[in-house]
Amino acid sequence: YYIEVLHKEGTGGDNLSVAWSGPGISATPTLIDGSRYLRPSERENIVPETCDGATGILRETWTGISGTDLDALIDPTQNPNYPNSPSSYDTSALTEFRYADNGDNYGARLQAYLCPPYDGDYTFWLASDDQGRLSLSSDMDPNNKTTIASVPDWPSDQGYTRYPEEQ
């Protein structure tokens, strides 16, 4: 399954985390372990045939974007560099779906392929400071993604209960 998070940070402290629960995972929100259940997306949009191989998350960052609204990141009239020209990107820094304290006035997109340990129903949670959006595809194709959770304003780090739409 393709999984994507968009995150927009204004100023002050920042954080992002994605948790899940389901078969083979705790019944309470548990951070998604990138070393076991995630394979990074490729910048060239090459879809892997399996989840075997490299682990982690592709994180792309766009800097110098004021405000806290996600539109400042994804609207081409406000950020003409999105989605093809991030300020930076890496696949090695994140081994779980969480980060904090990356600075001010930036936006980020995190992409990976999710490999659940068992078939069944999973619940996902998103926490982000400031706005965030979590999308999941019904398969490995990014074009089939739909938004499954969002954060309209900042909750605490790993605070998954401030807004109903976080789950």
Side-chain angles (χ1 to χ4, degrees):
Y1 303 92
Y2 173 80
I3 187 168
E4 176 183 281
V5 177
L6 297 175
H7 174 222
K8 178 63 187 83
E9 164 61 12
T11 60
D14 63 312
N15 65 78
L16 172 91
S17 61
V18 178
W20 64 344
S21 67
I25 308 294
S26 172
T28 60
T30 303
L31 286 173
I32 299 177
D33 182 347
S35 65
R36 294 179 64 193
Y37 304 118
L38 296 169
R39 178 178 175 147
S41 173
E42 301 288 337
R43 290 213 70 243
E44 295 81 25
N45 292 321
I46 300 169
V47 178
E49 293 190 18
T50 70
C51 282
D52 298 331
T55 59
I57 302 162
L58 171 62
R59 177 176 57 182
E60 299 167 295
T61 305
W62 290 263
T63 57
I65 304 170
S66 299
T68 60
D69 194 302
L70 269 177
D71 284 342
L73 170 63
I74 62 175
D75 180 346
T77 63
Q78 297 181 58
N79 181 15
N81 292 323
Y82 185 86
N84 297 321
S85 299
S87 305
S88 65
Y89 64 90
D90 64 70
T91 58
S92 60
L94 299 176
T95 57
E96 62 185 7
F97 238 125
R98 178 176 186 255
Y99 68 82
D101 302 322
N102 285 295
D104 293 332
N105 295 313
Y106 73 90
R109 177 173 62 176
L110 289 79
Q111 302 173 79
Y113 293 96
L114 179 66
C115 308
Y118 301 101
D119 290 338
D121 293 330
Y122 290 82
T123 302
F124 293 85
W125 288 267
L126 172 66
S128 68
D129 178 357
D130 291 298
Q131 286 190 355
R133 181 183 312 152
L134 172 62
S135 299
L136 184 68
S137 179
S138 58
D139 55 22
M140 300 289 257
D141 188 346
N143 295 317
N144 295 329
K145 70 182 180 208
T146 59
T147 299
I148 61 169
S150 62
V151 176
D153 197 10
W154 63 273
S156 62
D157 185 21
Q158 298 183 62
Y160 303 115
T161 59
R162 185 170 182 188
Y163 304 103
E165 55 266 47
E166 286 180 276
Q167 179 178 347

